[in-house]
Amino acid sequence: MSDNRLDSEAGCNVVNGRVLLITACSGLGFNLAPHFGVYQLYNYLIKKGIPCDLYDRDLEQNNWTEKGEEYFTERISQGFYDIIGISVSHDKVLGEQKMVEDLNLIWRLRSLTGRCEGRPIFVAGGQAAALNHEQWLNLGIDLIFLGFAEASLYEFCHRMLTKPKPSKTGKHFSDIVKGIPGIAYRDLKGRMLYVPSKLVTQDSFRELFYELPMSYEMPYHDFWDLLRYRSANQQLGGSEFIFENVRIYSTSHCPRRCGFCNSQSFLTESILENDELMATHENHETVIFSKGKMKIIQLSAPELGALTLHYTEKYGARSFLFSDDDLLVGTKQGVNRIREFCNLVLEYKALGKIAKDVRFSCQTRVACFLKSKKEVDRELIQLMTDAGWLSCGLGVETFSDNMLKAPSINKMGITSKDCRNVIDAMLDIGMVPQINIILGIPEYTPKELIETVAIAIDYVIKGCDIGLARQLLALPGAPMYSASKYKLATVSWKHPVTGEEIEIPDYFIPLDPKVAFALENFDEAAQRELDRVMEVMGWEGLASPKRVIAVCALTALLRLLNMPHLTAKLEEKVTMALNGVLKGEFRSQ
């Protein structure tokens, strides 16, 4: 079991004046991994001499640590911490809105601080906090960090822990944050202040994502052991499931403007003034995009190779997931980098520097595998497969040409045929595609949705993996979020102090009433179907395989659409696919 400390000596004799960092709680069992961002911040502070503790909510949720909420609430009530930082979420996992869970935790912790001499400052960071800073500042967070926040967080912690506490001098914490870039907060008069962060440079990116990760310990073995213990049969996907997996972040950001995605805004909006951020046009229908632009920064192929060697030698990693939104970035530079990296991996394997069965996976766009005349780049797919590419996530989203062009998706220049051509080529060559699909596209007609489900299930039978986004989530910072012509479903949260009912945007309601009904009732129906399968398989209490979750969800969706004249045969095929998946069929060999 993890003891939640990566450096047991750092700050171990300090009783007061510490920092507590709290991870997000993913709520998923099939892809548990250390929360890279929070562990990165933790180690950055430790190396700079800031006494710091880390509360990992995923380890607690899975009973894999003795240091959970009860342990840390006792320390908070005793005044151990001057700063409490939390990685907050605005996401929906298996029907649960994670923002509600985070708000409840924040206020449970805040309720303890009244007994302390000097109330700790609650800080937050990451996409959900930075791109929805006003709401989080209204609902319990004191200070939000924008963009890559390691240096700014350190400077704030250093000032807080080395100068007289604001609570003892009668000052507000805002008096000590002057000059710190990349922050948002309300001053003593309640005015919202938004201070842009610094531009990310090649040197700063290299320090954070290459040099720093190789300088500290990560509890990979704890998480690998947890996955082995908690998982149902994970070998039911299209490709082999390898527990000894490490995530690598190699690209600063994705420049695309997909309507539903907010990743594009995280860094580019952090460098702007508040009045320059993405907004809704005065016609209340169109979006005014921010003018924030930032050069795409990547680790080089040799640096990726060095990270691969480091993790295999230090931890025994056998698999690597590049956690970038778009590994190839759709540019010649991005594609050439991966070609060079693949050749480097082949050289390492030939020389015995890494094992021949070390595998890789990533996420990228269909367009990255298309040449200038829409011809599939089979040579690139073959090279990646030869190097050990286990699978490749593709942001297909839909197999409807109309929906690809819809504002909520906005994948212009790509057709359903392009998607199928790339997927077919991968299957033919031996790489397993993971097809990412969004079921709740607001513009969907029942017919278009059913057609997408039909194609997706055919690909499951052919050996693909599938990743489902159930509803199209209302993510702050996404172009869709600022396009008010779409109706929103919300989740209510009651403020524990004021009693005010707060409406939290949850997902976009489909325009078609049949699709809207199906999506409104989808989470409960999908969970019932999954529970049924888990009971039949004897998997109660274990983490469901991702592929099983997806096919169970499709089963529930077709029933909810209640259109037997269109879905009867497809329901039979989905049932057949589920039975095949449960038997271990439809897998790449």
Side-chain angles (χ1 to χ4, degrees):
M1 283 190 186
S2 170
D3 65 358
N4 265 348
R5 291 188 300 177
L6 306 185
D7 185 343
S8 59
E9 299 300 318
C12 59
N13 296 318
V14 178
V15 176
N16 290 305
R18 297 181 71 86
V19 177
L20 174 63
L21 296 182
I22 305 173
T23 72
C25 185
S26 69
L28 293 173
F30 56 77
N31 65 349
L32 281 171
H35 289 260
F36 182 88
V38 178
Y39 277 88
Q40 176 98 333
L41 291 168
Y42 170 82
N43 282 284
Y44 190 92
L45 295 181
I46 289 290
K47 286 185 172 296
K48 295 278 189 179
I50 301 294
C52 188
D53 293 329
L54 192 149
Y55 166 22
D56 192 312
R57 293 159 71 193
D58 271 343
L59 291 180
E60 177 191 34
Q61 185 183 52
N62 289 278
N63 299 315
W64 214 248
T65 178
E66 295 175 356
K67 294 182 178 179
E69 185 175 338
E70 184 177 349
Y71 172 84
F72 287 108
T73 53
E74 181 178 351
R75 292 170 72 87
I76 291 170
S77 63
Q78 293 174 3
F80 272 58
Y81 302 109
D82 283 341
I83 301 165
I84 298 175
I86 181 169
S87 176
V88 296
S89 303
H90 192 131
D91 195 7
K92 195 169 188 177
V93 178
L94 300 181
E96 299 293 329
Q97 174 53 251
K98 305 304 287 185
M99 183 173 179
V100 171
E101 184 177 338
D102 289 345
L103 286 170
N104 288 334
L105 173 64
I106 289 166
W107 282 96
R108 286 199 301 273
L109 301 184
R110 289 189 77 101
S111 69
L112 302 169
T113 61
R115 314 169 202 169
C116 306
E117 181 185 357
R119 186 179 67 82
I121 306 299
F122 281 76
V123 306
Q127 284 183 197
L131 297 174
N132 192 23
H133 53 275
E134 290 199 43
Q135 188 169 37
W136 284 105
L137 290 172
N138 290 339
L139 297 181
I141 295 297
D142 300 310
L143 176 65
I144 286 173
F145 289 88
L146 313 173
F148 297 149
E150 282 83 353
S152 295
L153 177 61
Y154 163 71
E155 181 60 29
F156 174 70
C157 293
H158 176 71
R159 293 183 187 185
M160 279 288 293
L161 301 184
T162 58
K163 295 183 178 182
K165 296 181 181 180
S167 57
K168 289 186 176 182
T169 61
K171 295 183 178 181
H172 189 254
F173 79 87
S174 59
D175 291 320
I176 69 168
V177 301
K178 293 177 181 177
I180 297 179
I183 56 175
Y185 63 97
R186 292 194 183 279
D187 65 13
L188 195 56
K189 296 181 180 180
R191 295 174 299 191
M192 218 286 295
L193 300 178
Y194 188 95
V195 183
S197 60
K198 293 182 178 179
L199 276 172
V200 179
T201 65
Q202 185 70 50
D203 287 343
S204 64
F205 187 81
R206 187 179 189 276
E207 177 193 4
L208 292 179
F209 295 96
Y210 176 68
E211 296 172 0
L212 185 59
M214 290 204 289
S215 71
Y216 58 74
E217 299 288 331
M218 278 285 259
Y220 289 119
H221 289 283
D222 287 340
F223 279 86
W224 297 343
D225 290 343
L226 169 58
L227 271 173
R228 290 189 189 94
Y229 179 78
R230 284 274 291 119
S231 295
N233 187 351
Q234 294 290 3
Q235 302 305 338
L236 298 180
S239 60
E240 179 188 4
F241 187 93
I242 299 176
F243 291 100
E244 299 86 358
N245 183 70
V246 167
R247 298 182 181 191
I248 293 176
Y249 292 82
S250 73
T251 306
S252 59
H253 64 291
C254 176
R256 310 302 172 190
R257 286 188 167 176
C258 299
F260 57 88
C261 183
N262 63 355
S263 293
Q264 60 193 282
S265 305
F266 177 54
L267 285 183
T268 55
E269 299 237 325
S270 74
I271 61 174
L272 300 174
E273 299 290 343
N274 193 46
D275 59 2
E276 297 176 313
L277 303 180
M278 188 184 301
T280 305
H281 194 274
E282 60 185 11
N283 64 13
H284 300 295
E285 291 190 1
T286 56
V287 176
I288 302 174
F289 284 95
S290 66
K291 295 181 174 60
K293 291 185 178 180
M294 187 178 292
K295 179 183 177 182
I296 297 171
I297 299 173
Q298 298 177 305
L299 297 181
S300 67
E303 287 167 344
L304 297 183
L307 285 170
T308 302
L309 290 175
H310 169 75
Y311 288 122
T312 54
E313 293 170 359
K314 187 176 180 67
Y315 300 100
R318 298 175 51 237
S319 171
F320 294 89
L321 169 62
F322 292 97
S323 290
D324 309 307
D325 291 311
D326 182 359
L327 178 65
L328 303 182
V329 196
T331 64
K332 185 177 180 180
Q333 176 185 346
V335 170
N336 287 342
R337 178 182 71 142
I338 294 308
R339 290 186 191 276
E340 183 182 354
F341 174 68
C342 288
N343 286 318
L344 197 58
V345 168
L346 290 169
E347 179 184 331
Y348 286 166
K349 290 186 175 183
L351 295 173
K353 291 185 176 182
I354 61 174
K356 293 187 182 297
D357 64 352
V358 167
R359 297 288 183 257
F360 302 91
S361 55
C362 69
Q363 176 168 294
T364 192
R365 291 166 58 93
V366 167
C368 297
F369 293 103
L370 295 175
K371 298 179 181 179
S372 58
K373 295 184 179 180
K374 294 293 188 79
E375 179 187 358
V376 177
D377 192 342
R378 294 179 65 92
E379 294 84 1
L380 175 60
I381 297 172
Q382 185 67 63
L383 178 61
M384 293 172 69
T385 304
D386 291 344
W389 235 262
L390 188 70
S391 65
C392 182
L394 296 172
V396 173
E397 322 310 351
T398 175
F399 286 104
S400 163
D401 286 335
N402 286 337
M403 293 303 99
L404 286 169
K405 300 172 186 175
S408 60
I409 301 300
N410 195 37
K411 295 211 168 185
M412 307 302 289
I414 293 296
T415 66
S416 174
K417 183 180 179 182
D418 295 331
C419 297
R420 285 178 279 133
N421 286 344
V422 170
I423 294 168
D424 290 340
M426 286 183 172
L427 288 170
D428 182 51
I429 291 170
M431 183 188 293
V432 177
Q434 175 176 292
I435 305 169
N436 296 323
I437 296 292
I438 300 173
L439 298 177
I441 297 173
E443 297 93 341
Y444 254 144
T445 65
K447 186 173 183 291
E448 288 168 324
L449 175 55
I450 291 167
E451 287 173 353
T452 286
V453 172
I455 296 172
I457 206 66
D458 279 341
Y459 274 123
V460 169
I461 293 170
K462 290 178 181 179
C464 292
D465 280 325
I466 185 169
L468 288 184
R470 299 179 174 192
Q471 296 92 356
L472 196 149
L473 299 182
L475 301 176
M480 274 282 290
Y481 195 81
S482 298
S484 57
K485 68 177 181 179
Y486 294 95
K487 292 183 179 179
L488 277 172
T490 60
V491 174
S492 293
W493 176 75
K494 186 175 182 179
H495 198 295
V497 175
T498 66
E500 182 183 1
E501 290 286 343
I502 307 296
E503 296 299 318
I504 297 170
D506 193 25
Y507 70 91
F508 294 99
I509 300 173
L511 302 175
D512 183 274
K514 283 188 175 291
V515 179
F517 174 83
L519 270 295
E520 182 181 0
N521 296 278
F522 183 54
D523 290 322
E524 290 184 8
Q527 189 61 51
R528 284 196 301 270
E529 179 63 16
L530 180 60
D531 290 344
R532 182 191 70 79
V533 170
M534 295 292 283
E535 182 179 359
V536 169
M537 298 300 293
W539 291 342
E540 296 99 321
L542 298 178
S544 314
K546 185 176 183 179
R547 209 179 191 203
V548 173
I549 295 174
V551 181
C552 285
L554 293 179
T555 302
L557 175 68
L558 293 175
R559 291 172 184 165
L560 286 169
L561 286 172
N562 193 26
M563 302 178 72
H565 61 292
L566 293 177
T567 63
K569 290 185 178 180
L570 183 55
E571 285 187 52
E572 292 177 7
K573 182 177 283 190
V574 172
T575 300
M576 183 270 287
L578 177 59
N579 291 334
V581 167
L582 294 173
K583 292 175 183 176
E585 299 172 359
F586 316 138
R587 298 191 69 238
S588 175
Q589 301 302 320

